[in-house]
Structures are given as structure tokens and as C-alpha cells.
Amino acid sequence: MLLEVHNLSAALEDGKQILNDLSLSIGKGETHVLMGPNGAGKSSLGNTLMGNPVYQVTGGSIKFKDQDITEESPDKRAKLGMFMSFQTPLEVPGISLETFIRSAIHHKTGEHVKLFQFQKELQRCMSLLNMDPSYAKRDLNVGFSGGERKKSEILQLLMLKPDFAILDETDSGLDVDAVRVVSQGIEEYQKSVGGSLLIITHNAKILESLKVDKTHILVNGKIAMSGDGSLIEQINAEGFEKYMK
């Protein structure tokens, strides 16, 4: 297993419990989908796995690559090979998208990033995502449309090549064409990197071209049901009501 979550409970700083005795295992190269009603704790799980200090672990453990990372900081988790794309990516004035990615690669690997090879790969990935090359020189997400921000997140995924990526509703707010492009980017990550994915989504459209190994339904901070990719179709047809009892 690449990621092992055992009896994980977590709360917000005000003490409100958001995850309850949750267990989850993700193997190398596997793609897992996390679905559930609004407020079930899906984004909270992603943030807790990445070590967001807003979320306090109150029980259980998180192991990544056989290391206990329950108390590790987000930057150490990132250096180990974890990545998270956000539902609403933030603007970062004063640093270009290109510089941000190059710096992130340097901090992750600890090695000098060769400019020519980096720019060649950056251009290839931007072309794959139908991104205007000029966006590489623009301040990170500043003035980007919602779709371009989501593409920027997938661009970072392709360039950083993490071992494990959490994609938090990357498809939210996107039109059909943008969803298709983002899905192609995720598919490229599956093929070229072979990393593991935890995709948090309400929209099965983004999953159509992806190989899904397992699907989980999260209700009240706990996994209520797990199955294979066919569970997605069942949820689309029946909803979550029967799992909320």
C-alpha cells in the first residue's frame, strides 16, 4: 500500500468533529474516487491527509510509503510525493506560474532544474491542456478564469509528478469542454507517471476516460460504502439517500 489511513478521526480548531474513525488504503498506481453529499467531509479528508493545520487529528494514523506522517507538516508530505489540487485555487501575486512550478520542483527534488528541459516539458504539458503559453509568465492564478485556474492545477500535477495526488473537485464550475481537457490531463498523469489518485468529485463526467479501481461513499465523516467503478453509476441513478441512514 502507498497510503494507509487507519481509524482516522479529525476535528476543526473549534472542536467540531469532521472525520470519524475512517480507514482507507490506496495501492501504488490505483485511482480511487470519493463521493458523498455536501458536508460529508470529503474536502476535510483531503486537507487532513495533506496536513492542513486547520484540521486537528484526534485519533488514528496516516502512513505514506510506510512512514507515519500523522504529525508531519504539509511541506514534508509534499517532498515525500503528496500533492493536492484545490477546489478554489488561490491567487499568488508576484510570482509567475512558470517560476512557481520550477521552484516547487527544486524544493521537491533538491536538485537544480535545467531551464531548457523544464521549459520544453512545460510547453508540452500546456499544449496538452490547451493553455495559452503566455499564462506561464503571468502571476499565479491572477486574473485567470475558473477554468484556467483548474488547468493550472493539473499543469502542476503533470510537472511535479507526485506519487499520490488528491484532486478536490477539480471539475467544479467547468463547462463540458474544460472538463474534457482536465480529464485528458489526469489521464496523461495516470499513463506517464503511474501515480495514485484520490479524486473527490460530484461529476462522473470527468471519470469517463479514467480507469477507476475503487469508489467510496463518505457520509458524516465516515466511509459508508466502497465498491468498484460501477458504484459511480449506481450513485448517479439512486443518489446518496440510502447510505445516510
Side-chain angles (χ1 to χ4, degrees):
M1 288 293 112
L2 182 71
L3 177 77
E4 295 175 273
V5 181
H6 182 65
N7 298 131
L8 182 66
S9 295
L12 294 170
E13 292 174 316
D14 62 5
K16 181 182 178 182
Q17 199 74 17
I18 51 169
L19 298 176
N20 300 290
D21 200 30
L22 184 151
S23 294
L24 174 69
S25 296
I26 299 178
K28 293 179 180 178
E30 290 184 350
T31 294
H32 289 225
V33 172
L34 185 67
M35 305 183 83
N38 290 331
K42 301 183 298 296
S43 295
S44 297
L45 174 59
N47 279 284
T48 302
L49 293 179
M50 279 304 302
N52 186 330
V54 172
Y55 301 85
Q56 306 294 321
V57 173
T58 57
S61 63
I62 305 168
K63 290 181 72 175
F64 183 65
K65 295 182 177 178
D66 292 326
Q67 294 186 48
D68 189 326
I69 61 166
T70 312
E71 303 297 331
E72 293 288 8
S73 61
D75 64 307
K76 289 184 179 178
R77 299 183 199 212
K79 286 180 180 178
L80 278 173
M82 297 180 70
F83 172 94
M84 183 172 179
S85 74
F86 296 97
Q87 217 170 326
T88 308
L90 297 174
E91 293 185 355
V92 184
I95 181 170
S96 70
L97 173 59
E98 177 180 358
T99 301
F100 176 81
I101 294 175
R102 191 179 177 201
S103 176
I105 293 172
H106 169 69
H107 284 289
K108 178 176 179 282
T109 63
E111 299 174 0
H112 174 71
V113 181
K114 295 179 180 178
L115 185 59
F116 176 77
Q117 292 179 350
F118 167 79
Q119 291 183 331
K120 184 178 179 181
E121 179 66 5
L122 184 69
Q123 290 170 10
R124 184 188 75 83
C125 292
M126 292 186 79
S127 176
L128 178 74
L129 295 170
N130 291 336
M131 288 187 74
D132 186 329
S134 67
Y135 275 73
K137 302 296 183 183
R138 291 176 58 175
D139 286 1
L140 179 62
N141 294 329
V142 176
F144 286 26
S145 68
E148 294 297 342
R149 289 188 185 205
K150 297 301 178 74
K151 288 181 183 180
S152 167
E153 296 274 282
I154 300 302
L155 178 65
Q156 293 167 45
L157 171 71
L158 293 174
M159 293 295 295
L160 285 165
K161 299 176 173 59
D163 297 304
F164 172 61
I166 304 162
L167 306 184
D168 186 7
E169 297 198 28
T170 303
D171 51 349
S172 65
L174 301 183
D175 60 30
V176 174
D177 292 333
V179 168
R180 187 180 300 113
V181 170
V182 166
S183 180
Q184 288 172 351
I186 299 170
E187 186 180 14
E188 172 67 15
Y189 167 78
Q190 281 186 318
K191 291 178 179 177
S192 63
V193 179
S196 301
L197 285 162
L198 178 62
I199 302 176
I200 301 169
T201 184
H202 287 288
N203 185 358
K205 197 75 180 173
I206 198 171
L207 306 172
E208 287 182 355
S209 63
L210 305 178
K211 178 183 177 292
V212 174
D213 295 287
K214 289 187 179 179
T215 305
H216 310 282
I217 300 174
L218 192 69
V219 177
N220 297 324
K222 196 168 187 176
I223 292 176
M225 179 71 180
S226 294
D228 58 20
S230 65
L231 184 55
I232 297 168
E233 297 173 13
Q234 185 179 324
I235 295 166
N236 288 335
E238 302 175 359
F240 300 111
E241 187 175 351
K242 73 177 184 180
Y243 302 106
M244 298 175 70
K245 297 175 183 178

